[in-house]
Amino acid sequence: DNLDPQSGPDLIPLIDAIGTNDSIVYLDISGNNLGNRGAMAMSKALQTNTTLTTLHWDENGTTLQDLEISGNLRGTDHFKRL
């Protein structure tokens, strides 16, 4: 299930931890209104995380292009689904 839609900023520490997590392969963090701050945190985490293969990021007040996540992922071959 999705996390509480009002918890956006509170999820930043969780997103930061994804960068060093080596067991999460699927993450649905949709609908949490993470905005640009969350997008920047996720982009940074994805630069070092190599185990996450599926990320659902809908309805967070950003797009992949806005986040610049898409630019970071183009050179990444571990994603199966985004």
Side-chain angles (χ1 to χ4, degrees):
D1 287 321
N2 293 342
L3 300 169
D4 179 0
Q6 303 302 315
S7 62
D10 296 334
L11 295 177
I12 301 302
L14 170 76
I15 293 171
D16 290 340
I18 291 167
T20 57
N21 185 289
D22 62 359
S23 60
I24 294 177
V25 295
Y26 174 92
L27 180 63
D28 185 346
I29 200 163
S30 300
N32 287 290
N33 299 315
L34 292 164
N36 289 335
R37 185 171 172 214
M40 291 187 323
M42 182 61 76
S43 180
K44 183 177 178 183
L46 293 176
Q47 290 175 7
T48 55
N49 180 294
T50 59
T51 57
L52 187 66
T53 59
T54 303
L55 173 64
H56 293 272
W57 180 270
D58 298 320
E59 300 175 22
N60 276 309
T62 60
T63 66
L64 292 178
Q65 291 78 22
D66 291 342
L67 270 167
E68 296 184 1
I69 283 181
S70 60
N72 289 337
L73 298 181
R74 286 200 176 105
T76 308
D77 60 1
H78 65 275
F79 269 94
K80 294 179 184 174
R81 190 166 183 181
L82 188 63

